[in-house]
Amino acid sequence: TWDTNFETIEVLHTFEPDDYVLRMSPKLPGLMKWALSYLMSESYTVRFRCQRDFPERGQVSFACVPYDMEKGTVMEEQGSLKAKSGVIMPHDTDPQKSMVVGVERSNLKWVPDWTLSMLADKLLMSMVIGQVEAYMKSPLYAETEAQLAALG
């Protein structure tokens, strides 16, 4: 997978380019996996949708929400996962970089404060940077770009 935060990302269904149902299995360090095991599933099924050139040209908006394949509908939450959305935009001064502004909702009411602090301080920023860099190098990115180019 291009996303280093997940062991696997499997496309279960494609509605159209940039609109997928995915099964995602998170990758966590041993201690953190143990600490969060009672809150987290082994895998999550989500609907991931992005809109290119929105809200402005050159930007990409995205939404990722829990999804029930059997019912064919989005869900309010799945384990600790709720929803995330955001915008990916070009960096102001470096064309080799991107900026991500997003919001993520999770059900973490049972997670100890020290665990949340460790997540925020040690993992989140490096995870986002790694995700964007790996995605830009991935076959999925190239395939999606080719599909969009073919659409005109």
Side-chain angles (χ1 to χ4, degrees):
T1 175
W2 60 266
D3 189 336
T4 58
N5 299 306
F6 292 92
E7 296 287 340
T8 60
I9 298 177
E10 177 185 1
V11 177
L12 301 179
H13 181 76
T14 302
F15 292 99
E16 59 184 65
D18 294 334
D19 190 357
Y20 305 97
V21 176
L22 308 172
R23 179 176 296 128
M24 304 163 56
S25 300
K27 181 190 301 183
L28 293 172
L31 179 60
M32 194 167 296
K33 188 173 189 173
W34 174 81
L36 298 176
S37 63
Y38 61 95
L39 290 175
M40 298 183 68
S41 300
E42 288 293 315
S43 66
Y44 296 101
T45 302
V46 298
R47 184 158 182 186
F48 179 85
R49 172 90 166 104
C50 68
Q51 179 69 43
R52 294 171 189 268
D53 293 323
F54 183 82
E56 296 181 14
R57 184 160 178 71
Q59 297 181 351
V60 178
S61 297
F62 66 90
C64 181
V65 295
Y67 191 78
D68 185 325
M69 280 295 286
E70 290 180 17
K71 296 179 181 176
T73 187
V74 298
M75 301 163 41
E76 183 175 345
E77 65 183 58
Q78 186 181 87
S80 62
L81 178 69
K82 287 196 174 193
K84 62 173 71 177
S85 64
V87 177
I88 304 168
M89 61 195 86
H91 190 274
D92 291 337
T93 58
D94 187 345
Q96 298 299 312
K97 294 182 179 179
S98 297
M99 297 185 297
V100 179
V101 177
V103 175
E104 181 170 346
R105 295 191 64 206
S106 297
N107 184 356
L108 300 176
K109 63 184 175 186
W110 302 106
V111 178
D113 289 344
W114 67 268
T115 305
L116 290 175
S117 177
M118 182 174 53
L119 279 170
D121 292 345
K122 306 288 184 204
L123 295 176
L124 293 180
M125 186 52 72
S126 63
M127 287 170 55
V128 170
I129 291 168
Q131 285 178 323
V132 172
E133 290 172 349
Y135 176 66
M136 296 294 288
K137 296 175 185 174
S138 74
L140 177 61
Y141 177 80
E143 178 185 326
T144 302
E145 288 295 312
Q147 289 175 350
L148 290 171
L151 293 174

